[in-house]
Amino acid sequence: MSTHDEPAAATLEDRLRLLTEASGLPVPRLVVDQPRGQERLPQSREADGERVVSVPRSLLTAGPARQFWHLAACLGRWVSPEPARRHRLGGIGLVVLLVVYVVLLFALASAVPWLWITVLLAYPIGAWTIRWERQAMEAAGRTVLAAAGHPPVEVARAAFGDEPDPPFLKALLAGEPTPSRRIRAAELDAV
């Protein structure tokens, strides 16, 4: 991290500390991801028994609402067991799908010569499982936001209200929910 990014990283660490203290969690270490061609979503993990929140470099310059939203979603993995459950189920589902595909490929290869192309369905199904897990992280993250005194609906609207939804195919292949789905989920929680 360059010295140019240090004040922004310190602000992000302060926001992470505020959210963790409000939710009663230990403060994890914040790691700013290296620049990449395709940035990763903010994520939380445990490495060598230490909790780590890894964020893309673009989150350093994002607005406060977006920072709070993504940090709370990362903390949601430790607040609720649902994201981990969905992660396991998604992985198991993909493995089962792959095994069924390979069996069908060998069993029906001569009868259905175009069957090999159906492997392309694995990408949108994989993206759906990642999105499904992310929705659980964000649902738990909304409770973290509320505990810290940040109304989730207002944070979602401030973070994503001006952002248009991507085209259908891009949304189908994305690993995160669309802005309108995030706002709608926060509004449904408020009801």
Side-chain angles (χ1 to χ4, degrees):
M1 185 173 1
S2 70
T3 53
H4 172 270
D5 295 334
E6 287 177 13
T11 301
L12 203 58
E13 285 175 342
D14 290 342
R15 291 188 171 129
L16 180 62
R17 187 174 300 106
L18 173 81
L19 291 170
T20 54
E21 290 171 356
S23 58
L25 293 169
V27 179
R29 184 169 55 99
L30 180 71
V31 174
V32 178
D33 206 2
Q34 296 299 319
R36 301 173 183 275
Q38 177 70 33
E39 285 196 335
R40 296 181 187 173
L41 289 172
Q43 56 186 329
S44 53
R45 64 183 188 283
E46 289 196 27
D48 300 325
E50 179 185 23
R51 289 183 171 185
V52 177
V53 171
S54 177
V55 298
R57 190 165 294 283
S58 64
L59 197 60
L60 295 175
T61 57
R66 189 174 288 263
Q67 289 177 345
F68 275 121
W69 183 270
H70 286 299
L71 292 173
C74 288
L75 295 175
R77 177 171 294 288
W78 295 311
V79 170
S80 169
E82 186 64 17
R85 185 182 76 81
R86 287 187 181 186
H87 181 80
R88 281 190 308 275
L89 287 175
I92 290 168
L94 287 175
V95 167
V96 167
L97 182 70
L98 181 64
V99 168
V100 167
Y101 173 73
V102 169
V103 167
L104 287 176
L105 189 62
F106 284 112
L108 301 175
S110 59
V112 186
W114 52 265
L115 187 65
W116 64 271
I117 197 78
T118 59
V119 75
L120 295 176
L121 293 175
Y123 193 87
I125 292 169
W128 177 83
T129 61
I130 294 169
R131 216 172 27 253
W132 188 48
E133 176 189 355
R134 190 76 189 175
Q135 288 167 342
M137 288 174 61
E138 290 182 357
R142 289 191 295 273
T143 63
V144 171
L145 285 170
H150 299 284
V153 175
E154 292 178 20
V155 174
R157 286 181 183 147
F160 306 107
D162 295 338
E163 192 175 321
D165 281 351
F168 173 76
L169 189 59
K170 190 171 183 177
L172 179 69
L173 301 177
E176 61 182 321
T178 61
S180 65
R181 286 185 184 256
R182 286 175 161 153
I183 294 169
R184 193 172 332 122
E187 290 171 345
L188 290 173
D189 281 354
V191 173

